[in-house]
Amino acid sequence: MAEIGKNLDKAIGLLKTGEVVAIPTETVYGLAGNAFSEMAVRKIFEAKNRPYTDPLIVHTHSVEKIEDLVLELPELARAMFETFSPGPLTILLRKSSKIPDLVTNSSPFVAVRIPDHPLTIKLLTQLDFPLAAPSANPFGATSPTLPAHVQATLGDRISYILDGGPCEVGLESTIIQIVNTNEIRVLRQGGLPEEDLRSLARLVEEEKKATPVVPGSLISHYAPKKEIHLVKNLSGFHPKNPKHTGFLGFNKGIDSIPNENQVLLSPKADLSEAARNLFSAMHKLDEMDEVQEIVTIEFPDYGLGKAINDRLKRATAKRS
Ligand code: TXA
Ligand code: MG
C-alpha cells in the first residue's frame, strides 16, 4: 500500500530519484514524475497501464518557467495564462527539445499548465524540473479527487500520495489550442468554463477528425466499474430494479429509487459544487453493495455543466 501524507521533503526526495508520486491539484489528483526524465515518465505510463500514444500534461509553477519548456509563447497564450493561472487551463504549445518525445508521443506540441494548489506549487518551486502528470487513475477509469481514490486503485503500484485534501474544482483542466492571434479551439471541456475563455478570444469549433487532437478523449472514459446509463430527463423513467439501482443526480432525486441509493451533486443547484462532487459520487456509487447499476441525467448545458455532461457521456458510453 502507498503511504498517504503531507511530507513535502519525502515527495521531493522520491521525485528527484526518478520515482512517481501522486500529487494534489485543484482539478484531480495527478500521478507525477520528472518531465525531463524518460525513466520517470515511463514509470507513469506503466503504473497507469496507459498506452504511450496518450501524451502527458506538463506542470510548472510560473509563466516564466513555461517559457523554458516551449519554443515560443504566443501573446494570446501568455494572456490566457496570466488571466487564468494558476488554474484549470492547459494550453498546447510548440515543445522545446528539453521535453522527451515520450511525454508528447512525439508530437511537436506539449500540453502545459500551472496547477492551483498551494502544496503542489510549493513542491514545484523546490524542484529544478517540471512534473509530467496525468490523472492518478488506471487508464480509462474514474478520476481521483481524494487521496483514498488513488490509494484504492494505484495504492499497490506507487509508494507515496501527497495529501492535499479534496480537490476544489473536481474536473480536469480545460485544454485549448491557439489557432491564431485572437482565436482558440477548446479540445477538452474542463474546470475552466468556455464562457470565461471568451473574454480573451473567439472560440472556433473543433474539427471533426477520425483521431482526436487530444488522444485521451476516447469515447469510453471515466467509467465506474458498474454499468451506468444516462437519461435525458426523468419523466417517464422507471427503473426495472429500483432497490439495486443507484442514482447520480444534480439537485433533485427520484421517487422510485430508495433515498440511500441516491447521490445528489448539489441540492442547491450550484454547478461548481456539482463539479467538485462528481467523481467522488461515481466512486461512492461504485462502492455501494446494494447498487448494481447506476442511472444519471444530463446537466444544464452551460458553464461547468458542459464539462460535467462531457464526463457523464464518456462514463456512460459503451465500452469496447
Ligand atoms: O486537470 C488536469 O488536466 C489533470 C491534472 C492532474 O493536471 N490532468 C489530466 O491528465 O487530466 P490526463 O492525462 O488524465 O488527461 C490529459 C489529456 C489526455 O486526453 C491527453 O491525450 C491530452 O491531455 N494531451 C496531453 N498532452 C497532449 C499533447 N501534447 N497533445 C495533445 N493532447 C495531449
Ligand atoms: Mg485522465
Side-chain angles (χ1 to χ4, degrees):
M1 279 311 223
E3 182 189 336
I4 300 178
K6 296 182 195 292
N7 188 341
L8 262 190
D9 290 335
K10 175 148 188 174
I12 291 168
L14 286 163
L15 290 165
K16 281 189 172 164
T17 54
E19 293 305 318
V20 298
V21 171
I23 58 162
T25 83
E26 80 285 26
T27 61
V28 300
Y29 273 76
L31 185 60
N34 179 351
F36 290 156
S37 155
E38 260 202 41
M39 181 198 67
V41 170
R42 210 172 285 281
K43 284 185 189 162
I44 299 174
F45 282 99
E46 279 169 10
K48 275 184 64 101
N49 214 354
R50 176 172 173 127
Y52 290 110
T53 48
D54 191 357
L56 309 181
I57 296 177
V58 174
H59 300 67
T60 186
H61 62 275
S62 69
V63 179
E64 217 183 332
K65 284 284 167 194
I66 290 177
E67 285 179 305
D68 286 348
L69 310 176
V70 303
L71 291 183
E72 51 166 348
L73 185 63
E75 271 315 303
L76 182 54
R78 180 189 298 279
M80 287 276 171
F81 279 130
E82 280 171 358
T83 309
F84 300 114
S85 290
L89 174 69
T90 296
I91 308 184
L92 289 192
L93 297 165
R94 288 201 173 272
K95 88 173 187 69
S96 100
S97 56
K98 283 188 194 164
I99 308 273
D101 284 339
L102 192 61
V103 172
T104 66
N105 185 32
S106 300
S107 159
F109 291 92
V110 60
V112 268
R113 85 175 194 99
I114 304 174
D116 189 12
H117 192 291
L119 205 53
T120 291
I121 289 288
K122 212 164 168 192
L123 176 67
L124 285 163
T125 53
Q126 291 184 45
L127 294 169
D128 55 7
F129 48 81
L131 293 173
S135 51
N137 51 278
F139 182 64
T142 308
S143 305
T145 52
L146 283 172
H149 298 154
V150 184
Q151 180 72 290
T153 53
L154 295 178
D156 56 351
R157 296 176 176 211
I158 63 177
S159 63
Y160 199 60
I161 302 171
L162 188 61
D163 183 356
C167 300
E168 284 279 318
V169 174
L171 292 172
E172 294 87 348
S173 60
T174 299
I175 305 180
I176 66 168
Q177 193 177 34
I178 304 291
V179 177
N180 55 42
T181 53
N182 58 0
E183 290 182 319
I184 60 166
R185 188 174 284 130
V186 175
L187 301 175
R188 176 176 73 179
Q189 298 282 346
L192 184 65
E194 254 182 34
E195 289 86 341
D196 293 14
L197 294 168
R198 284 185 210 277
S199 63
L200 290 184
R202 238 173 59 84
L203 268 54
V204 296
E205 286 295 305
E206 187 169 1
E207 294 159 289
K208 294 274 173 276
K209 287 193 190 144
T211 41
V213 183
V214 172
S217 288
L218 301 171
I219 291 297
S220 169
H221 204 156
Y222 308 104
K225 286 170 257 166
K226 290 173 185 163
E227 227 180 280
I228 174 164
H229 306 283
L230 182 70
V231 295
K232 279 208 184 306
N233 60 61
L234 295 176
S235 59
F237 173 73
H238 303 290
K240 280 190 221 90
N241 201 344
K243 266 178 73 180
H244 298 296
T245 303
F247 179 64
L248 176 67
F250 183 23
N251 58 330
K252 289 194 199 85
I254 308 189
D255 293 339
S256 53
I257 292 178
N259 271 336
E260 60 272 22
N261 290 5
Q262 306 198 33
V263 184
L264 298 186
L265 298 186
S266 175
K268 60 172 194 262
D270 174 288
L271 286 168
S272 303
E273 184 181 46
R276 184 156 58 242
N277 292 330
L278 175 68
F279 289 134
S280 259
M282 284 193 196
H283 284 284
K284 188 169 165 188
L285 285 160
D286 239 356
E287 300 311 318
M288 287 183 186
D289 290 336
E290 280 301 305
V291 171
Q292 287 164 3
E293 64 171 325
I294 304 164
V295 169
T296 183
I297 45 145
E298 275 187 25
F299 276 62
D301 209 35
Y302 53 80
L304 288 174
K306 276 200 176 174
I308 295 175
N309 282 334
D310 170 83
R311 302 303 186 270
L312 290 176
K313 276 188 193 129
R314 293 182 205 282
T316 55
K318 285 238 167 351
R319 298 161 208 185
S320 49

